[in-house]
Amino acid sequence: MKPVDRHLADILAAVRPLAPLEVEIEAALGAVLAEDVASPVPLPPFDNSAMDGYAVRAGDVAAVPVTLPVIGDVAAGDGGLNALGPGLVTRIMTGAPLPAGADAVVPVEWTDGGTARVRIDRPAPHGNAIRRAGEDVRAGDVVLREGARIGPAQIGILAGVGRRRVLVRPRPRVVVLSTGAELSEPGTPLGAGRIWESNSFMLAAAVREAGAEGFRAGSVTDDPKEFMDTLDAHLLRADAVITSGGVSMGAYEPVKEALSPLGTVTFEKVAMQPGMPQGFGVVGPDRVPIFTLPGNPVSSFVSFVLFVKPALRAMQGLPAGPPATVRATVTGPVRSPAGKRSYLRAVLTGETVAPVTGQGSHQLAALAAANALIVVPEDETSLPEGAEVEVIPL
């Protein structure tokens, strides 16, 4: 059997980052930045007031209470030239440019709020309530580095430095297709020998959670021709394809039957539990990566965590490798077959981890109750309660 780490390495060696494209910043959410972004101007661009109040000379309000004449107002967005002489104040609003000669702002709460004359009851030290030009960002500073995932705050700073468009690696478009004659769409009546199809919903959600775009192509029967027709119909919009089911050793394995003759997809046994039958390769004229995962839902999900998620990161130009792990103390004994790396569903709480009841690869409810995977190495067949184990947080 093929080692888990080698299977992941082969996948990462085959996938490539998507080509960058320029998009409006409104469309950049979730994408990965493909350029460094610098600010053309300082932020803020000018000295401005951090509060509603009065622009003053600090020396004029050192001894309080003091009453001074108000010579005008400065509002946010005021583009005029405003100046302040000794013994005078100007009413100023939050974000408004600081008048020349002023070196402090007195918050309105420290005054009687006067409009012609104002009584100031507290002294304001030099620089009080002033946002200095360049305090946040200097002109030419890089505000976002290539490789940053773009979230709401990143879109905010892109707009804040005047960018309307930005170069990104787009979110990969991933088509998810399940196979099996026994599958029925959720919400429809369940006939004899049938089960409601869950894998494509689960995997499409996992794709979206990984920062890509997941598209359900539904499910097909065990007919290889139907599988290929459905696959071909979706390849035009796919940067990657995930299938579940149809890759084991038995009869009626449509994925294996349809793709093996192409010679571009390899089916292998990987030394892991759950999820031993795995396939990976490329399909179509654009050589779209395809991940053919086993059909049992837990096997399919664990395979996604180990192999597909790192590949999606690589396609987005992000660092990619095995899932991050932590160390924890297991609260009960665990078992694993010799020669296979096991991934046991568990609940991680602080520095302890408890295996859930129900470790079968079909037991989706147990997976839904878990928030972690306990990793048991290939050379271990059992670990006692209290052992320190490696854990993948989900």
Side-chain angles (χ1 to χ4, degrees):
M1 288 186 289
K2 186 179 185 181
V4 172
D5 295 335
R6 196 168 82 213
H7 190 61
L8 174 59
D10 289 347
I11 289 171
L12 293 180
V15 298
R16 296 288 179 267
L18 298 181
L21 56 88
E22 194 176 57
V23 299
E24 297 281 331
I25 59 172
E26 293 96 332
L29 183 67
V32 174
L33 195 61
E35 61 171 323
D36 288 347
V37 175
S39 179
V41 298
L43 296 181
F46 48 85
D47 292 351
N48 67 89
S49 179
M51 302 184 74
D52 292 338
Y54 299 84
V56 302
R57 294 181 180 231
D60 292 339
V61 297
V64 292
V66 61
T67 299
L68 298 172
V70 179
I71 63 168
D73 289 354
V74 185
D78 190 323
L81 297 175
N82 297 288
L84 191 65
L88 305 174
V89 305
T90 297
R91 200 162 63 145
I92 193 166
M93 310 309 157
T94 302
L98 194 70
D103 58 15
V105 171
V106 177
V108 68
E109 294 85 357
W110 299 1
T111 75
D112 65 357
T115 55
R117 296 180 66 81
V118 62
R119 190 187 74 243
I120 297 171
D121 298 318
R122 287 178 58 181
H126 185 278
N128 189 68
I130 294 174
R131 302 166 177 157
R132 294 296 183 188
E135 184 179 281
D136 186 16
V137 175
R138 294 169 302 179
D141 278 356
V142 174
V143 295
L144 290 175
R145 294 283 181 189
E146 180 180 356
R149 174 84 72 184
I150 299 176
Q154 288 71 36
I155 288 177
I157 190 61
L158 286 169
V161 300
R163 293 295 290 268
R164 198 68 186 82
R165 298 175 67 82
V166 66
L167 193 66
V168 301
R169 295 195 187 276
R171 298 167 64 187
R173 300 164 300 173
V174 184
V175 170
V176 181
L177 176 62
S178 293
T179 66
E182 75 279 14
L183 302 178
S184 292
E185 191 74 4
T188 63
L190 199 61
R194 310 276 290 188
I195 60 172
W196 283 304
E197 196 274 309
S198 60
N199 281 5
S200 68
F201 290 92
M202 175 180 66
L203 292 170
V207 166
R208 290 190 289 270
E209 191 176 63
E213 296 182 12
F215 301 95
R216 280 189 67 244
S219 63
V220 296
T221 66
D222 290 329
D223 179 1
K225 184 179 184 307
E226 182 190 358
F227 168 78
M228 282 304 296
D229 288 346
T230 305
L231 178 63
D232 287 342
H234 287 89
L235 276 181
L236 278 177
R237 67 168 180 174
D239 296 310
V241 176
I242 303 172
T243 69
S244 67
V247 296
S248 295
M249 303 301 294
Y252 309 109
E253 303 293 350
V255 176
K256 206 170 184 179
E257 221 176 305
L259 297 180
S260 291
L262 301 181
T264 59
V265 181
T266 303
F267 296 90
E268 300 174 283
K269 292 181 181 179
V270 176
M272 59 186 283
Q273 184 174 315
M276 181 181 69
Q278 296 286 334
F280 173 76
V282 293
V283 289
D286 294 328
R287 299 182 64 80
V288 175
I290 185 167
F291 303 84
T292 64
L293 309 183
N296 280 320
V298 179
S299 302
S300 194
F301 180 79
V302 170
S303 300
F304 180 91
V305 171
L306 297 180
F307 305 127
V308 184
K309 189 174 181 179
L312 293 179
R313 287 183 59 83
M315 293 174 72
Q316 295 171 84
L318 296 170
T325 61
V326 298
R327 303 291 292 182
T329 301
V330 68
T331 62
V334 296
R335 292 189 166 278
S336 176
K340 288 185 178 181
R341 188 181 300 179
S342 285
Y343 297 88
L344 307 177
R345 279 66 70 203
V347 175
L348 178 65
T349 307
E351 296 181 354
T352 63
V353 63
V356 301
T357 302
Q359 291 292 335
S361 59
H362 62 292
Q363 292 179 292
L364 189 53
L367 175 64
N371 68 356
L373 299 173
I374 297 172
V375 183
V376 184
E378 294 87 339
D379 56 355
E380 299 280 2
T381 56
S382 64
L383 294 171
E385 177 183 347
E388 189 179 57
V389 293
E390 195 176 9
V391 180
I392 300 172
L394 299 176

